[in-house]
Amino acid sequence: MKKILFALAMLAMLASCGKPDPVKPKTDVSGVWELSNVATKASVGSVSVSVYLDLVAGGNFTLYQKIGDGRYTVFSGTWTLSDDDHLSGTYSDGKGWGPYAASVSGNTMKLESAGGKEVDTYSKITAIPESVTSNTY
């Protein structure tokens, strides 16, 4: 009887040792997003900022940004999401950005800079408005 119990205990131990830890699925940040709120711990005045971000599944992005009045500036490049849900990327001119801790809940994405100095909130939309894409430099 002792031999059977010992053998069962050994089998249970071996079975538990061979299983990898479950992998947490990455946050899905792909889609079209509109900046809806910026919370910073440093203020530079009350300048209006408008941002639209298209994170294409597979790693490319297009960003439309307008600061104050005028037209949108268009940026493009590539993005990656690390296993611990940190979003970063490289603009087409080679300059890097990020990482930002990314979290998505429903149609809301939050990007938080290191140290929490900036938290940007984005709302998911179906497409970048034509009024934005036709108003660029």
Side-chain angles (χ1 to χ4, degrees), residues 46-51 65-72 135 137:
S46 59
V47 177
S48 65
V49 177
S50 179
V51 176
Q65 174 181 289
K66 181 172 76 166
I67 299 174
D69 296 328
R71 295 177 173 246
Y72 285 86
N135 186 26
Y137 288 108

Side-chain angles (χ1 to χ4, degrees), residues 86-100:
H86 280 78
L87 181 65
S88 59
T90 305
Y91 291 105
S92 58
D93 67 1
K95 186 175 181 182
W97 55 267
Y100 293 93

Side-chain angles (χ1 to χ4, degrees), residues 17-98:
C17 290
K19 292 181 183 175
D21 291 335
V23 176
K24 177 185 158 243
K26 285 186 182 182
T27 298
D28 183 10
V29 297
S30 61
V32 181
W33 302 92
E34 178 181 12
L35 182 66
S36 55
N37 188 39
V38 177
T40 59
K41 293 190 178 175
S43 178
V44 291
S46 59
V47 177
S48 65
V49 177
S50 179
V51 176
Y52 292 87
L53 177 59
D54 186 1
L55 295 171
V56 179
N60 292 316
F61 75 87
T62 305
L63 180 138
Y64 295 81
Q65 174 181 289
K66 181 172 76 166
I67 299 174
D69 296 328
R71 295 177 173 246
Y72 285 86
T73 303
V74 182
F75 301 94
S76 62
T78 59
W79 64 272
T80 59
L81 188 68
S82 67
D83 288 337
D84 63 350
D85 289 337
H86 280 78
L87 181 65
S88 59
T90 305
Y91 291 105
S92 58
D93 67 1
K95 186 175 181 182
W97 55 267

